[in-house]
Amino acid sequence: MLLSAAILGGCVDEGDMIPEGQKEIVLRSSLTTASLSVKSEGYDYDTTVPGGLNLSMWRWDEGDASTDVRNKKLLDATLGGDPDPTDDWRRDIHFQPAQYYKNRTSQVGFRGFFPKDSHEGWQKPGGKLIADDRKMIFNIDGQTDVMFSDFKKGDFANGIDHLTFSHALCRYRVYVYAVDEDARDQWGKLTNVSFMNLPKQLFVQLPQD
């Protein structure tokens, strides 16, 4: 009787099982613009960065005791590949190591940011990337963009809606022109442009949940 009970207790509903090759979670994403300032790496657009953009992601699972990101382990991920013109120019996010659905019905959700947590621009007072008041600080270097995504959740049966990454910084571009060649010769060459009183740090306030 004891053996029989143990066997029955270990059974799994076949309808809840996921085929082995379909367990991996691959998210879709979109950017508000395709232009990304990564000139420190020698690239003008994020789609040309070899290996894609290195992201940090938070994962939430249905039944988790807390939804506070301060209690969540950061996951490594990469946003890469060419935008898909058949899917509103979205691209894939792959995790390293891969992330998987637990079953067909349990909800799972994600939120992420760029650059990843190991980037030197992120400040960690007291050794914490996220302060007790859920604030993150980034030292602005004029070369690196900062983006955060919204939070989306779903399950294996219905999928997870795409994440939208929004820029936390604005990018200035200066265009110089002359009405004619005489004016250009009279004015000479522009050698330098300076912006005054720009902030040196970005403060990001994360939501409570």
Side-chain angles (χ1 to χ4, degrees), residues 19-30:
E20 190 64 33
Q22 301 178 29
K23 290 182 179 180
E24 182 177 353
I25 298 174
V26 177
L27 301 176
R28 298 287 278 173
S29 66
S30 64

Side-chain angles (χ1 to χ4, degrees), residues 13-47:
D13 185 350
E14 292 186 2
D16 199 36
M17 295 179 63
I18 302 175
E20 190 64 33
Q22 301 178 29
K23 290 182 179 180
E24 182 177 353
I25 298 174
V26 177
L27 301 176
R28 298 287 278 173
S29 66
S30 64
L31 301 179
T32 53
T33 174
S35 177
L36 183 67
S37 179
V38 287
K39 289 183 178 297
S40 59
E41 300 178 30
Y43 303 95
D44 289 325
Y45 295 92
D46 61 289
T47 53

Side-chain angles (χ1 to χ4, degrees), residues 164-186:
T164 298
F165 281 84
S166 298
H167 297 268
L169 299 173
C170 62
R171 181 179 183 180
Y172 291 97
R173 293 194 181 199
V174 178
Y175 298 90
V176 181
Y177 69 94
V179 294
D180 53 41
E181 291 186 3
D182 290 338
R184 182 193 63 187
D185 294 339
Q186 180 179 355

